[in-house]
């Protein structure tokens, strides 16, 4: 029996052809077979690169069956590359079943990293990236989409969504309704392409922008939304500490300065601190 071959997971550009790495090109030229989401689309890329490696269709609808067939070829010694239409395979793209089957069969799976729209958008968003949640595509049906957003409303990590152009405006409105219009957000449109645009603002501002500017819904888009600011005042002991802090500050400072400092020291939400400060001033902290 021959030694197992290797499965290469090869990232291709998300727009700008210059983002294909040398290693990706060499891998695509050197393997026995390229499994591609859309063989016509990948065929055009290969033609531009002068690569003649045979193509094999592997998409969402045939992956379950074809993963077994490709794994058998890998076990027989084949070197196979997997690509999707754009960016990194498996990231909201087919390939998971093939990688799982190949890995379970003992085949070596090698990443050939490169472009990924989510990472490209995060890198320019200017929102916290130390921790983030990739949500991919939200459900297309409004009720399911809103239900899912409701479960994410208190998520403190930065949120990343993919969205189809014709749903961008509707999704922005749903995000604003679920998370509040004040939440900072960024929309990265047509990244790495001629009409690359990064829109920044609050969700409410982006909703207004989408209504005023049809360009926002043209082309491919990644939506990045800041995570929820955790309310540090969540139990009665913390509330008592906040009240003591506010009482001391209010004794020496005007209300707004006392609130500013209390927000700074406690980490509580400003409107919550403001409400407590007013209640203390009125003598009705309750
Ligand atoms: N595997 C790809 C990746 O690594 O990013 C993503 C594939 S997913 C089917 C396609 C979605 O990715 C688009 O609907 C859009 O949300 C996002 N996307 C892809 N290319 C993009 C680009 N150039 N600019 C902005 N978003 C892009």
């Amino acid at each position: 029996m021959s030694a197992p071959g290797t499965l290469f997971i090869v990232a291709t550009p998300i727009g700008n052809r210059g983002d294909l790495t040398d290693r990706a090109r060499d891998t695509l030229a050197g393997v026995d077979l390229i499994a591609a989401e859309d063989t016509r689309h990948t065929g055009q890329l290969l033609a531009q690169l002068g690569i003649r490696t045979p193509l094999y269709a592997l998409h969402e609808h045939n992956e379950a069956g074809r993963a077994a067939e490709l794994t058998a070829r890998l076990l027989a010694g084949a070197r196979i590359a997997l690509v999707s239409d754009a960016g990194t395979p498996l990231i909201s793209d087919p390939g998971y079943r093939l990688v799982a089957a190949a890995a379970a069969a003992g085949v070596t799976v090698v990443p050939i990293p490169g472009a990924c729209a989510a990472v490209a958008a995060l890198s320019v968003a200017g929102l916290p990236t130390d921790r983030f949640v990739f949500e991919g595509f939200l459900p297309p049906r409004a009720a399911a989409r809103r239900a899912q957003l409701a479960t994410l409303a208190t998520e403190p990590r930065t949120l990343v969504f993919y969205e189809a152009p014709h749903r961008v405006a509707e999704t922005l409105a749903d995000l604003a309704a679920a998370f509040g219009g004040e939440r900072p957000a960024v929309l990265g449109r047509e990244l790495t392409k001629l009409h690359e645009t990064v829109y920044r603002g609050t969700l409410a501002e982006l909703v207004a922008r989408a209504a005023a500017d049809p360009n926002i819904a043209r082309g491919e888009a990644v939506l990045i939304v800041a995570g929820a600011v955790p309310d540090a005042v969540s139990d009665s002991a913390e509330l008592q500490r906040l009240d003591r802090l506010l009482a001391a500050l209010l004794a020496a400072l005007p209300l707004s300065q006392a609130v500013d400092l209390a927000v700074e020291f406690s980490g509580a939400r400003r409107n919550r601190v403001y409400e407590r400060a007013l209640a203390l001033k009125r003598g009705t902290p309750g």
Side-chain angles (χ1 to χ4, degrees), residues 14 86-88 91-93 116-117 137 162-163 190-191 220-222:
I14 56 168
T88 302
I91 307 301
S92 288
D93 268 340
C116 173
F137 289 96
Y162 281 165
E163 195 47 286
E190 292 285 89
L191 298 173
E220 305 201 85
V222 181

Side-chain angles (χ1 to χ4, degrees), residues 195-228:
H195 297 292
E196 174 180 281
T197 320
V198 179
Y199 299 89
R200 304 166 197 278
T202 62
L203 281 170
E205 285 165 353
L206 291 181
V207 168
R209 186 83 191 255
D213 176 4
N215 277 331
I216 209 168
R218 291 202 180 109
E220 305 201 85
V222 181
L223 294 166
I224 313 258
V225 185

Side-chain angles (χ1 to χ4, degrees), residues 35-237:
E37 190 181 2
D38 178 339
T39 51
R40 254 192 13 205
H41 182 94
T42 300
Q44 286 167 9
L45 172 71
L46 297 185
Q48 283 175 12
L49 298 169
I51 293 175
R52 294 166 175 273
T53 308
L55 284 161
Y56 181 87
L58 181 115
H59 47 71
E60 208 183 315
H61 306 292
N62 68 8
E63 188 182 348
R66 299 218 156 167
E69 191 185 326
L70 287 171
T71 302
R73 289 208 207 184
L74 287 160
L75 284 173
R79 290 160 57 83
I80 298 178
L82 172 71
V83 298
S84 60
D85 286 355
T88 302
L90 278 83
I91 307 301
S92 288
D93 268 340
Y96 156 72
R97 291 186 188 88
L98 172 60
V99 171
V107 171
T108 305
V109 185
V110 175
I112 309 291
C116 173
V119 174
L122 274 169
S123 73
V124 296
L127 293 172
T129 46
D130 49 341
R131 301 196 311 153
F132 59 85
V133 182
F134 177 64
E135 279 291 316
F137 289 96
L138 286 162
R141 304 187 112 179
R145 190 169 59 235
R146 286 170 196 162
Q148 183 151 339
L149 288 177
T151 70
L152 295 169
T154 56
E155 169 58 60
R157 293 167 289 186
T158 295
L159 296 131
V160 184
F161 301 94
Y162 281 165
E163 195 47 286
H166 62 281
R167 272 199 289 268
V168 161
E170 204 182 334
T171 296
L172 280 170
D174 285 347
L175 285 166
F179 299 169
E182 290 308 303
R183 202 70 88 81
V186 171
L187 188 154
R189 188 179 71 91
E190 292 285 89
L191 298 173
T192 78
K193 302 185 197 177
L194 182 63
H195 297 292
E196 174 180 281
T197 320
V198 179
Y199 299 89
R200 304 166 197 278
T202 62
L203 281 170
E205 285 165 353
L206 291 181
V207 168
R209 186 83 191 255
D213 176 4
N215 277 331
I216 209 168
R218 291 202 180 109
E220 305 201 85
V222 181
L223 294 166
I224 313 258
V225 185
V229 177
D231 190 346
V233 182
S234 54
D235 66 25
S236 61

